[in-house]
Amino acid sequence: MFIPTLRRLKFGQSIREEGPQAHLKKAGTPTMGGLIILTSVVLTAIPFSSWALLESREKVINADLFFLLFATLGYGIIGFLDDYIKVVMKRSLGLTANQKLLGQLFIGLVLFWVLLQVRATQPDKFIFEVAIPGTDWIIQLNWLYLPLLLFMMIGTSNAVNLTDGLDGLLAGTAACAYGAYAIIGWYQSNQTVTIFSIAVVGALLGFLVYNAHPAKVFMGDTGSLALGGGLAALAVITKTELLLPIIGGIFVVETLSVMIQVTSFKLRGKRVFRMSPLHHHFELVGWSEWRVVTTFWFVGFLLAALGVYLEVFF
């Protein structure tokens, strides 16, 4: 129902000329489909989390749900503005890098303020500490948790955004990562985390039906930045900050490939990969788009499973 509306509004994707030439035929495919994902998540997570809260007879504000939705929707709004400027206003660059960064910093600071309020009301709550995976070691960071939080929020949202380059690639890999957090939330008896994560997985799998190759709709920055923000927020709520690079390992590798490529070209004048992010390298090597996507899905699933194993069995 939503795709024809995007077509009528002429919300079509523009394709970079410097990208793989095979992608030029995708120009005009409806984008900003992240609105579908976010709508589904909100309409699912809020009522079911509220119902679970009432069932548990807790008379407290669900700070976890607010934290998760604020992070997800906040970064989604930044992505929407970027998409709107590019698609509707026909300014190919969208928001400037500084504008995006300021928006991401603001949301990160608000989230830190929320954590301060929670600690003030629940002083014994495990908030500004970081656990070392596979050990009993805990590092107390106190105010040093602020730069860690900002790095996680900005880094994860941008890393997930970089991964959104092939039909179904991000939807599948993000579903694996959020699925891992659904299990972790269940293990930690955190109903809000479990419900929110399952809501995102359901939204992504439904979206994937129309986003798999050949894609009928793209999620755009509206979806990718929101998914990154939500993923980082889950790591904060579940206190698995150091497991996030494992569970979201695909996003880390994609980002590293861009950093390596840029650094190598600036210092040596040579490229390490045929094109970055990494998924484009495999395309230019000769892999089909479907082969690249399914391989990344499989690796993403294994990394998500490893993250769950480290949290649940250690």
Side-chain angles (χ1 to χ4, degrees):
M1 294 171 61
F2 199 75
I3 292 174
T5 303
L6 292 174
R7 285 204 185 97
R8 284 194 296 271
L9 294 173
K10 297 182 179 180
F11 286 1
Q13 178 72 39
S14 58
I15 305 297
R16 295 181 305 153
E17 293 185 0
E18 61 270 23
Q21 294 302 300
H23 287 206
L24 295 178
K25 62 184 179 183
K26 300 181 182 182
T29 302
T31 187
M32 298 174 71
L35 291 171
I36 306 170
I37 298 172
L38 295 179
T39 301
S40 176
V41 171
V42 169
L43 292 179
T44 306
I46 291 179
F48 277 92
S49 293
S50 300
W51 173 78
L53 192 66
L54 291 173
E55 283 291 303
S56 65
R57 298 182 180 178
E58 294 182 18
K59 304 300 181 181
V60 296
I61 297 175
N62 195 337
D64 287 353
L65 182 61
F66 173 83
F67 191 92
L68 292 169
L69 287 178
F70 187 86
T72 304
L73 297 178
Y75 280 94
I77 290 172
I78 296 174
F80 174 81
L81 292 174
D82 191 47
D83 285 336
Y84 187 86
I85 292 171
K86 287 187 291 188
V87 175
V88 179
M89 300 179 67
K90 307 301 181 184
R91 283 169 45 189
S92 58
L93 295 179
L95 292 173
T96 66
N98 287 336
Q99 288 171 334
K100 277 187 181 179
L101 181 61
L102 284 175
Q104 291 171 323
L105 280 172
F106 173 75
I107 294 170
L109 290 172
V110 172
L111 292 174
F112 185 73
W113 176 83
V114 172
L115 293 178
L116 285 174
Q117 304 312 304
V118 173
R119 190 174 72 164
T121 57
Q122 303 176 53
D124 296 332
K125 194 171 177 65
F126 185 70
I127 294 182
F128 296 146
E129 299 174 346
V130 175
I132 307 299
T135 71
D136 294 327
W137 298 349
I138 295 176
I139 302 175
Q140 180 61 254
L141 294 180
N142 293 317
W143 282 94
L144 289 178
Y145 193 82
L146 174 59
L148 174 63
L149 175 66
L150 295 177
F151 177 77
M152 286 175 56
M153 299 302 303
I154 296 172
T156 306
S157 61
N158 289 326
V160 171
N161 181 243
L162 285 173
T163 307
D164 187 26
L166 298 179
D167 295 356
L169 176 58
L170 177 55
T173 51
C176 292
Y178 275 92
Y181 275 107
I183 297 173
I184 290 173
W186 171 77
Y187 171 72
Q188 295 182 356
S189 299
N190 190 323
Q191 293 179 325
T192 299
V193 167
T194 304
I195 290 170
F196 175 82
S197 300
I198 291 176
V200 176
V201 172
L204 286 172
L205 294 180
F207 183 79
L208 187 57
V209 173
Y210 301 93
N211 183 237
H213 185 74
K216 298 178 179 64
V217 63
F218 298 137
M219 69 173 68
D221 287 0
T222 306
S224 59
L225 287 178
L227 290 172
L231 200 61
L234 282 169
V236 172
I237 295 297
T238 59
K239 304 311 299 174
T240 55
E241 294 93 344
L242 299 186
L243 278 181
L244 181 60
I246 297 175
I247 294 174
I250 287 291
F251 313 129
V252 174
V253 171
E254 291 272 64
T255 304
L256 288 176
S257 71
V258 174
M259 296 171 64
I260 292 170
Q261 185 87 324
V262 172
T263 303
S264 176
F265 191 77
K266 285 185 175 181
L267 296 179
R268 302 165 55 238
K270 297 180 180 179
R271 293 180 173 86
V272 176
F273 308 103
R274 294 195 179 186
M275 184 177 290
S276 64
L278 189 61
H279 54 261
H280 288 321
H281 169 79
F282 287 108
E283 271 193 295
L284 296 183
V285 165
W287 287 22
S288 69
E289 184 169 347
W290 184 243
R291 181 184 177 187
V292 176
V293 169
T294 53
T295 301
F296 275 53
W297 285 354
F298 180 68
V299 175
F301 174 81
L302 292 179
L303 290 170
L306 175 60
V308 171
Y309 177 76
L310 290 174
E311 173 65 14
V312 174
F313 296 102
F314 275 87

